[in-house]
Amino acid sequence: MMNRLFLLAFGVLALTGCTDNKNFTIDGIVEGADGKTLYLYNKTLGGAELMDSVVLDESGVFAFKGDAPEAPDFYLLVIGNQVINLSIDSTETVSVKAKMPGMASNYEVEGSDNCEKIRELALRQQDLQRQALALESNYSFSETQRIDSLERLVENYKADISRDYIFQEPQKAYAYFALFQTLGRWTLFDRSNANDMKAFGAVATCWNTYYPDALRTEHLRNTALKGINERRAVVARENNVIDETKIIDAGIIELQLPDASGNIRTLGELKGKVVLLDFHFYGTKESASRILLLRDLYNKYHDKGLEIYQVGLDDNEHFWKQQTSQLPWVCVFDPECTSLPLYNVPEVPEFFTIDRNSQLQKRSTQMTDGVEAELRRLL
């Protein structure tokens, strides 16, 4: 019956005329929903916004149109508490075949690989929810055993999702969707978790490449940066780091990090130079302007004894190598951010000056006349 109705839906829609190439279409049928209202929502960063609705008849045929997004966006088909998640890239047509009751887990989708992957993710998320509820209600386990079992369940789920969906094609809409899946009220991937940060970084880096001006890309960048800052705060608390008020009196704190060729480069090898130590995240929106500033300083003062030692904190090594391949100064790679607590860096970007005797001088907030004036003083 459903197959016949699905074909009928296509037949009816074919008579509606030419498709506006600036629109997307979500169409199909919902069987067993006679008299029920089907809603279409745009799932924005600020919440779900109602776009359209239709009262379904016995055939269950529906068709919604919307303005094509400039970057991947997310949409919801909703009847009561039953929700189907979809994504739209541009002017595509996505067709849904669903059945009530239980539409959220009883549907098929055609016309979009992203939507099919999101369907798979939604079903796996629902299964995770069922397993978690079963654990919580299993009183043959102690509370500690239930908590430990739940943590293992979630970690195994995240490992599978990362492997099968996020790292497969991090530029895709379904990778973004996977990154923000929830269990109850909690987001599964924690931006301040060392392992989860790699997933955030991978998606943020790819979206920054493919959709640099999209609001969701900015959201990813901010989320990744907040995660890095939160992780650094945790690491700093776990380590005996230097007091910021004493940093100007401290000697050099040695760093030993690899460059793009795998050679270990140290700050100590630059003794005799005035060094600008820069902690940098290339995946940020501000990276390009900061690189231009550093290029200007390097071109002006390199012949007078200036060297730049730039620590890249991105977790994607290939991306980091691409971004630094044409830079003339020392570029090293620290994806685990191990150098940050050594210099008590709460936020990135940050830079420090080191004099010719390898003595640490000032951090950016202490350079009241600006970094260039500070470099001229040391040179």
Side-chain angles (χ1 to χ4, degrees):
M1 179 64 175
M2 285 184 70
N3 288 333
R4 185 175 67 80
L5 287 173
F6 203 38
L7 292 172
L8 174 62
F10 284 126
V12 171
L13 294 171
L15 300 177
T16 61
C18 297
T19 301
D20 186 340
N21 59 12
K22 294 184 179 180
N23 288 343
F24 68 84
T25 300
I26 299 174
D27 61 25
I29 61 169
V30 182
E31 186 178 343
D34 186 16
K36 297 186 181 296
T37 302
L38 176 67
Y39 297 93
L40 174 67
Y41 289 90
N42 181 198
K43 190 178 181 182
T44 72
L45 290 172
E49 297 181 357
L50 180 63
M51 294 181 62
D52 204 350
S53 65
V54 62
V55 178
L56 299 173
D57 59 20
E58 185 179 3
S59 72
V61 174
F62 70 90
F64 295 123
K65 288 186 180 293
D67 294 334
E70 295 181 358
D73 210 352
F74 298 89
Y75 299 86
L76 307 172
L77 290 176
V78 180
I79 296 179
N81 64 352
Q82 295 296 298
V83 179
I84 293 175
N85 285 275
L86 302 171
S87 73
I88 297 292
D89 285 345
S90 57
T91 58
E92 61 198 310
T93 295
V94 176
S95 297
V96 177
K97 178 169 62 175
K99 186 175 182 179
M100 290 289 286
M103 177 180 78
S105 58
N106 192 6
Y107 76 96
E108 300 171 12
V109 62
E110 294 182 359
S112 169
D113 179 62
N114 269 309
C115 289
E116 173 57 25
K117 295 289 188 182
I118 287 173
R119 186 186 72 85
E120 295 172 8
L121 284 162
L123 293 178
R124 292 177 73 157
Q125 181 185 25
Q126 291 166 25
D127 186 54
L128 175 68
Q129 181 75 36
R130 284 191 291 269
Q131 292 182 66
L133 289 173
L135 274 175
E136 288 183 357
S137 60
N138 187 349
Y139 293 104
S140 63
F141 288 169
S142 68
E143 182 177 357
T144 300
Q145 289 174 320
R146 291 199 301 271
I147 292 173
D148 289 344
S149 297
L150 181 60
E151 289 178 350
R152 285 197 301 272
L153 177 67
V154 170
E155 287 306 313
N156 289 337
Y157 179 86
K158 290 196 297 181
D160 291 345
I161 295 303
S162 296
R163 181 192 65 240
D164 297 341
Y165 296 92
I166 294 177
F167 292 121
Q168 283 285 334
E169 294 182 293
Q171 78 278 12
K172 295 288 191 176
Y174 70 80
Y176 182 105
F177 179 86
L179 194 61
F180 290 97
Q181 283 193 298
T182 60
L183 180 61
R185 294 177 296 140
W186 308 106
T187 302
L188 290 171
F189 286 87
D190 179 0
R191 67 191 183 194
S192 61
N193 177 281
N195 288 325
D196 294 355
M197 280 171 60
K198 296 177 182 179
F200 277 104
V203 178
T205 297
C206 284
W207 278 58
N208 192 59
T209 300
Y210 286 87
Y211 317 107
D213 300 322
L215 290 177
R216 291 189 184 277
T217 301
E218 183 177 2
H219 175 244
L220 280 168
R221 283 195 297 256
N222 291 337
T223 300
L225 285 173
K226 287 178 182 177
I228 289 174
N229 289 333
E230 289 168 3
R231 181 60 187 168
R232 283 201 296 268
V234 171
V235 173
R237 287 195 298 270
E238 294 173 349
N239 291 274
N240 183 22
V241 299
I242 57 177
D243 185 346
E244 182 178 354
T245 62
K246 298 178 181 178
I247 196 167
I248 195 169
D249 299 322
I252 189 174
I253 303 168
E254 186 61 287
L255 297 179
Q256 298 179 334
L257 295 166
D259 63 16
S261 299
N263 301 314
I264 298 300
R265 305 298 300 271
T266 70
L267 281 171
E269 72 187 55
L270 300 177
K271 187 173 182 179
K273 303 278 190 179
V274 170
V275 179
L276 184 62
L277 170 61
D278 183 55
F279 293 95
H280 194 86
F281 191 78
Y282 293 89
T284 64
K285 189 176 182 179
E286 299 78 15
S287 174
S289 60
R290 187 172 181 84
I291 293 297
L292 288 175
L293 168 65
L294 295 178
R295 276 191 179 276
D296 182 57
L297 293 173
Y298 189 87
N299 292 339
K300 283 183 180 179
Y301 300 111
H302 177 63
D303 290 343
K304 298 179 181 179
L306 172 67
E307 189 54 79
I308 297 174
Y309 186 97
Q310 188 169 48
V311 182
L313 303 166
D314 304 76
D315 60 5
N316 186 318
E317 185 173 5
H318 178 68
F319 172 75
W320 169 75
K321 286 182 177 179
Q322 285 184 319
Q323 297 298 308
T324 60
S325 62
Q326 301 301 316
L327 299 182
W329 51 78
V330 178
C331 297
V332 294
F333 189 49
D334 183 18
E336 301 298 329
C337 303
T338 57
S339 58
L340 297 177
L342 297 176
Y343 278 82
N344 193 17
V345 178
E347 293 185 2
V348 174
E350 176 62 291
F351 48 72
F352 298 80
T353 50
I354 299 171
D355 68 19
R356 294 182 188 272
N357 295 316
S358 290
Q359 293 293 305
L360 194 60
Q361 292 297 308
K362 295 180 181 180
R363 69 167 63 219
S364 62
T365 55
Q366 296 170 319
M367 302 176 197
T368 55
D369 295 325
V371 62
E372 186 169 3
E374 177 62 18
L375 291 174
R376 283 201 302 266
R377 182 183 70 80
L378 294 175
L379 289 167

